[in-house]
Amino acid sequence: MNFFLYLLLVGVNFLMALAGRIPANPHKNIILETTLPKEKLQDEQVLTISRTYKKRLLQWAFIFSVAALPILTISYDSLTLIYFLVMIFGFIGTSFYLQVIYIRKMTTVKVQNNWVLPTSPLLVDTALVVNKNRKLISIWWFLPSILITLLGCIYSFTTLGFSNGNWIIGLISLLMSAMFLLFYYFIARFPVKPLTSDETINQQVNDQMRHHWSVLMAISALVLSPLAFISVSSVSIPYEKMMLFSVGYAIFILGFVLFTFCYLFSSRKKQDQLIAQAKEYRYSDEDQYWKYGVYINPNDKRIMIPDRVGMNISVNLGRPAGKLALGIIGVLVLFSLIGASIPMVISDFSANPFELSTSHNGISLSAPLSQSRKITWDEIESVELIHTLPKDRLKLYGTATENYLTGEFQINNEPAYLLVLSNKKPILEIRTNDKLYYYTNKDTKLTEKYYKDIQTIRGK
């Protein structure tokens, strides 16, 4: 798994570096977030800044790929996850910092040379306003993804109910479908802007942008819709096959991300080719509203807008709704990362992460940040020390890594609760009339002691 994460890091580093190079190529007379006269785009000062920025991105992608090598040797799951996240966010921060530096350099060149942009009277293209969504795909394109998501949620809830976090996965699936539909709505609402004095070219550029983006939203919704089946799949598919399927689907998602990048780059390239055919380009200098790739304009009522690079949809942070949306996303990401890492840290470094205690009522099992399990003495049918877990096991809810298995599982088609450190033997197996329990302590002698204590209390 560590090797897979390293390859993922290297792939993400260079993919982000390649994506980060795109703003350094002119698009609608904008290069590195700086609007320049058309005849100045090939100026040697401009080209030097552009080439240097692209070179630095690739250099830092290589540096971070080398810096990620220690992940191959980390034996703790929590440290592996934390190091992975540090590398990801470290490169994102470095890329953004490089962008800020070179945008400033490009703006300085513009100001020092007094490259004043030509002004033109405001042009209103009424035909473009009327026909702005003629190439927008129909909303019915979203029907397959909506049906798959709904069927997945209904089937999962019917099979597993609302327990074990199944409702969370269902809610996330529904929210993702709603998000892509919302993006489709914003794309349809984008105002038109005549980029040239040629009405035909203006219409073609507009049609091309709306068609590509609406298609991408529908395909994205379809690609991610099978996630609604993930809960029920983890029950019905054997553990090893489920892991293989998960890795395969992750690779498929990465492939789709690469396809998205190529698809949008192709769209941007077609727009530039169309604009190049026009005799006159109508400048729209909005540099004051774009602060290092972020749009901040309180006078613009739009919440979502197409970015100037032609590869993304941006949020208007000048509007309260834009700030709220970005804040909510940030909080959700932060809590998700904390929720995933804290139990792992406790399990890796606590002296006794999995606790077992006995009382006159029975046995209590507990793990970090999870509800304790109670087993009464009357429920117990047998207690054994085993050295290997059965291979026929399915994870229903919890954690399954190379180092530990925690949470609800199915063992040989029977419900089971596991608190097991994979490298510790023996394993305490407690069988009740309706469930199996497996437990190991970091100290193997304690596991053996608990077994003797339980047998003594039961009079065995």
Side-chain angles (χ1 to χ4, degrees), residues 215-230:
V215 168
L216 184 61
M217 293 302 105
I219 294 176
S220 299
L222 183 62
V223 167
L224 295 176
S225 60
L227 290 175
F229 286 91
I230 193 168

Side-chain angles (χ1 to χ4, degrees), residues 89-107:
F89 287 107
F91 187 68
I92 291 174
T94 301
S95 300
F96 182 72
Y97 181 66
L98 282 174
Q99 188 180 35
V100 169
I101 290 175
Y102 284 90
I103 288 175
R104 286 177 177 173
K105 290 184 177 183
M106 191 67 74
T107 302

Side-chain angles (χ1 to χ4, degrees), residues 151-392:
L151 287 174
C153 291
I154 293 171
Y155 185 49
S156 296
F157 293 149
T158 303
T159 306
L160 303 176
F162 291 86
S163 60
N164 295 336
N166 183 46
W167 66 273
I168 298 178
I169 296 175
L171 179 62
I172 291 174
S173 300
L174 293 172
L175 287 176
M176 282 196 303
S177 295
M179 178 186 70
F180 288 118
L181 281 169
L182 183 63
F183 283 164
Y184 172 85
Y185 168 78
F186 282 126
I187 292 166
R189 298 269 296 179
F190 284 160
V192 297
K193 181 184 292 185
L195 299 173
T196 73
S197 299
D198 191 315
E199 293 184 359
T200 302
I201 291 178
N202 292 338
Q203 185 70 61
Q204 291 175 333
V205 171
N206 175 81
D207 292 346
Q208 198 274 340
M209 183 274 289
R210 293 178 194 263
H211 178 76
H212 267 64
W213 271 103
S214 56
V215 168
L216 184 61
M217 293 302 105
I219 294 176
S220 299
L222 183 62
V223 167
L224 295 176
S225 60
L227 290 175
F229 286 91
I230 193 168
S231 295
V232 72
S233 298
S234 65
V235 176
S236 57
I237 301 176
Y239 178 75
E240 290 80 5
K241 291 184 179 179
M242 186 63 192
M243 285 296 294
L244 185 63
F245 170 78
S246 299
V247 172
Y249 188 65
I251 294 173
F252 173 72
I253 294 295
L254 288 175
F256 175 69
V257 171
L258 183 61
F259 161 78
T260 300
F261 175 81
C262 296
Y263 186 72
L264 291 177
F265 188 76
S266 170
S267 172
R268 168 192 155 107
K269 189 174 181 180
K270 289 177 182 177
Q271 289 180 35
D272 290 338
Q273 290 171 347
L274 288 169
I275 292 173
Q277 298 173 17
K279 294 181 179 179
E280 178 190 6
Y281 179 80
R282 303 187 67 82
Y283 287 88
S284 178
D285 191 346
E286 297 180 339
D287 292 357
Q288 70 271 25
Y289 299 125
W290 288 90
K291 304 297 183 183
Y292 310 118
V294 180
Y295 186 69
I296 306 174
N297 185 1
N299 299 319
D300 191 340
K301 294 183 179 180
R302 294 175 296 171
I303 299 173
M304 308 290 291
I305 60 168
D307 71 0
R308 302 204 295 174
V309 177
M311 296 285 289
N312 203 352
I313 295 177
S314 295
V315 177
N316 182 6
L317 293 183
R319 304 293 298 176
K323 295 176 182 176
L324 179 63
L326 194 64
I328 291 174
I329 293 173
V331 170
L332 288 176
V333 171
L334 179 63
F335 275 96
S336 298
L337 296 178
I338 292 174
S341 59
I342 287 181
M344 288 187 176
V345 171
I346 297 174
S347 298
D348 281 337
F349 297 102
S350 173
N352 191 19
F354 304 151
E355 297 185 358
L356 182 150
S357 61
T358 58
S359 67
H360 65 280
N361 293 322
I363 300 171
S364 176
L365 297 171
S366 62
L369 303 182
S370 66
Q371 184 179 3
S372 61
R373 301 299 195 275
K374 307 291 185 181
I375 310 169
T376 63
W377 296 116
D378 294 338
E379 292 179 288
I380 298 177
E381 293 183 352
S382 65
V383 179
E384 294 183 35
L385 284 177
I386 61 176
H387 291 276
T388 56
L389 281 173
K391 292 184 178 181
D392 185 7

